[in-house]
């Protein structure tokens, strides 16, 4: 009834569009956390690997295990591997990001217990975002710890706080300069062939001079890049579609929805659609803050968004009960809708609920 249609050909288009910006030496980590930003992680992972993506990344250990269960054998980074799951990380051959003294010690213990050595890990530095990561001053301690045979450091990285900000951007420059110092320090230590990276999707577009060894691309693969010009080079891979449940003839003065949220000022028609805030259709989309596309025309949401339903003003748009509706898609881009609700495409897409069936578009 309400389904998210995923177009794998568009994923392929975005992959090539992004890849073409990279030098042949730069590898790609496909970020597929949160079910590939609300889409569907299994088929997307398979396609990305088939296309040549060198590694995948998820946020949590559980997501990595899911990929292994789907038969994905590619390297999988786990950005935030909780310490309680370190044994699971090792048993599923996932690559943890080590970000603090405690996480490093605990992971070493887990490796001892599992009798493993030269285990692939990634080291994350905090250069200003103040999310997770070693502080640059901890670099010497980190390097000392890495001398054991337990670890094989595959990469050292950091994450920018506002890579989409117009250049020149002081906070980003500060982060990059700190990371350069960290790189120099790590590179001075002999016997370690380690890769370096710091860019996400926006960074890939905005800082071509810092592509380094890897880029970590998430939203770009799904068709968005946080800038109108960059967006032009990509195609959104998903469309959220549904069908009209019921149509009501509404007379001027009548109200629609909870708390009489909307009052008709003239006679009109209102369509009821089977999607609500429990599906990730945000309540902030109510009261005309969002629209859906019916027969190529905008129909605005009237009144409050319910948990399972919304009502839209369809005036004289040619349609009937069972007509197809595009909730997110052409004419209703996720980034545009998100902006109207004071949020971003990332949140809107990744919050699409479990009740929405994911369907792979067939040719
Ligand atoms: C989510 C995430 C990314 C991907 O960011 P996009 O803007 O979606 O490309 C990259 N790196 C880290 C550490 C992340 O958490």
């Amino acid at each position: 009834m309400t389904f998210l249609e995923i177009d794998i050909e568009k994923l392929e288009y975005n992959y090539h569009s992004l890849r073409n910006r990279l030098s042949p030496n730069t590898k790609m980590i496909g970020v597929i956390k949160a079910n590939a930003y609300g889409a569907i992680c299994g088929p997307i992972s398979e396609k990305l690997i088939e296309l040549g993506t060198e590694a995948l990344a998820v946020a949590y250990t559980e997501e990595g295990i899911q990929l292994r269960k789907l038969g994905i054998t590619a390297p999988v980074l786990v950005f935030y591997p909780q310490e309680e799951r370190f044994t699971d990380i090792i048993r599923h051959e996932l690559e943890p990001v080590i970000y603090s003294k405690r996480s490093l010690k605990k992971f070493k213990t887990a490796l001892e217990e599992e009798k493993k050595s030269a285990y692939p890990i990634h080291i994350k530095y905090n250069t200003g975002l103040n999310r997770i990561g070693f502080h640059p001053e901890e670099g010497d301690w980190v390097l000392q710890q890495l001398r054991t045979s337990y670890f094989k450091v595959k990469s050292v990285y950091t994450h920018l706080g506002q890579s989409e900000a117009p250049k020149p951007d002081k906070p980003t420059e500060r982060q990059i300069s700190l990371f350069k110092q960290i790189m120099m320090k790590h590179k001075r230590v002999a016997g370690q062939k380690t890769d370096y990276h710091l860019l996400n999707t926006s960074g890939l577009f905005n800082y071509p001079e810092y592509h380094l060894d890897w880029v970590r691309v998430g939203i770009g693969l799904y068709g968005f890049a946080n800038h109108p010009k960059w967006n032009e080079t990509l195609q959104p891979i998903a469309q959220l579609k549904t069908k009209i449940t019921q149509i009501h003839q509404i007379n001027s003065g009548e109200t629609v929805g909870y708390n009489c949220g909307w009052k008709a000022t003239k006679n009109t028609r209102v369509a009821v659609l089977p999607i609500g805030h429990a599906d990730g259709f945000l309540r902030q989309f109510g009261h005309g803050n969002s629209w859906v596309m019916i027969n190529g025309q905008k129909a605005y949401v009237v009144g409050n968004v319910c948990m399972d339903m919304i009502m839209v003003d369809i005036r004289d748009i040619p349609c009937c009960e069972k007509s197809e509706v595009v909730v997110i898609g052409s004419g209703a881009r996720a980034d545009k809708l998100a902006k109207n609700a004071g949020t971003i495409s990332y949140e809107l897409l990744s919050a699409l609920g479990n009740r929405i069936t994911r369907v792979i578009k067939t040719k």
Side-chain angles (χ1 to χ4, degrees):
M1 182 179 46
T2 299
F3 63 99
L4 189 71
E5 184 186 71
I6 293 132
D7 189 337
I8 298 289
E9 284 186 0
K10 291 194 171 144
L11 177 72
E12 198 166 339
Y13 178 92
N14 297 334
Y15 172 84
H16 290 301
S17 175
L18 295 161
R19 177 68 86 177
N20 288 340
R21 291 178 177 270
L22 305 178
S23 87
N25 304 325
T26 301
K27 292 169 279 188
M28 237 161 116
I29 296 170
V31 182
I32 52 155
K33 59 194 180 191
N35 199 23
Y37 290 43
I40 184 168
C41 68
I44 286 179
S45 302
E46 280 165 20
K47 189 69 192 178
L48 288 175
I49 296 299
E50 181 196 316
L51 288 167
T53 311
E54 288 88 350
L56 300 173
V58 293
Y60 303 122
T61 305
E62 197 55 38
E63 297 177 299
I65 294 175
Q66 267 174 29
L67 288 184
R68 290 296 184 238
K69 286 187 175 155
L70 288 168
I72 307 286
T73 56
V76 175
L77 280 84
V78 182
F79 285 149
Y80 319 117
Q82 312 91 297
E83 290 162 16
E84 319 80 67
R85 306 301 305 272
F86 276 169
T87 308
D88 293 318
I89 289 268
I90 298 167
R91 292 188 180 163
H92 292 90
E93 299 184 7
L94 301 166
E95 300 181 0
V97 170
I98 302 298
Y99 56 89
S100 66
K101 288 186 173 179
R102 202 184 62 215
S103 70
L104 193 145
K105 288 176 193 161
K106 291 244 162 151
F107 194 64
K108 192 166 144 191
T109 306
L111 287 171
E112 268 165 10
E113 282 167 9
E114 294 292 308
K115 303 192 176 23
K116 297 273 179 195
S117 62
Y119 196 93
I121 61 166
H122 303 263
I123 300 287
K124 167 90 173 279
Y125 279 94
N126 166 28
T127 53
L129 183 61
N130 286 322
R131 208 165 62 176
I132 66 173
F134 283 103
H135 283 257
E137 311 84 68
E138 292 173 317
D140 290 328
W141 184 89
V142 171
L143 279 161
Q144 209 174 359
Q145 297 297 311
L146 297 181
R147 287 201 190 107
T148 77
S149 60
Y150 286 106
F151 310 114
K152 178 183 187 311
V153 180
K154 279 186 76 176
S155 81
V156 173
Y157 77 99
T158 192
H159 192 47
L160 300 175
Q162 45 183 21
S163 60
E164 70 275 30
K167 289 202 283 189
D169 181 63
K170 275 271 171 298
T172 308
E173 282 170 10
R174 211 170 299 131
Q175 283 196 271
I176 293 176
S177 136
L178 262 175
F179 190 62
K180 278 184 180 165
Q181 292 169 33
I182 291 163
M183 281 201 301
M184 262 160 33
K185 190 173 246 179
H186 272 261
K187 279 180 178 170
R188 273 202 305 269
V189 177
Q192 293 227 1
K193 166 73 189 89
T194 299
D195 286 340
Y196 298 91
H197 46 108
L198 78 161
L199 301 179
N200 64 346
T201 298
S202 307
L204 184 161
F205 283 91
N206 216 0
Y207 293 90
E209 65 277 33
Y210 291 116
H211 285 171
L212 307 182
D213 299 309
W214 293 85
V215 289
R216 306 183 301 271
V217 195
I219 198 97
L221 291 167
Y222 312 115
F224 299 92
N226 308 318
H227 189 287
K229 261 208 135 66
W230 307 334
N231 284 340
E232 278 173 23
T233 69
L234 303 169
Q235 299 179 0
I237 67 161
Q239 293 207 75
L240 182 60
K241 294 178 176 173
T242 192
K243 287 197 166 88
I244 295 177
T245 300
Q246 196 178 6
I247 292 178
H248 299 292
Q249 202 67 49
I250 302 288
N251 294 322
S252 177
E254 276 191 88
T255 67
V256 172
Y258 282 129
N259 308 106
C260 305
W262 183 72
K263 193 171 188 175
T265 53
K266 54 181 176 224
N267 296 351
T268 187
R269 292 189 309 151
V270 161
V272 183
L273 308 178
I275 182 164
H277 60 73
D279 303 296
F281 193 91
L282 310 175
R283 210 160 171 281
Q284 292 94 299
F285 283 152
H287 304 282
N289 284 327
S290 185
W291 67 90
V292 300
M293 297 300 290
I294 304 176
N295 225 321
Q297 295 189 49
K298 282 183 180 179
Y300 281 87
V301 179
V302 294
N304 288 307
V305 170
C306 312
M307 189 180 287
D308 319 300
M309 297 268 162
I310 55 172
M311 279 72 92
V312 297
D313 185 1
I314 53 172
R315 317 175 301 272
D316 53 358
I317 300 175
C319 61
C320 57
E321 291 176 355
K322 296 282 164 198
S323 286
E324 187 179 82
V325 179
V326 176
V327 182
I328 298 176
S330 60
R333 286 177 58 96
D335 49 5
K336 284 237 171 73
L337 298 184
K339 199 162 186 201
N340 279 11
T343 180
I344 55 175
S345 56
Y346 295 76
E347 184 186 35
L348 180 52
L349 295 172
S350 63
L352 293 176
N354 289 333
R355 295 195 302 198
I356 298 169
T357 311
R358 270 67 173 173
V359 178
I360 304 292
K361 188 177 177 188
T362 49
K363 281 167 220 163

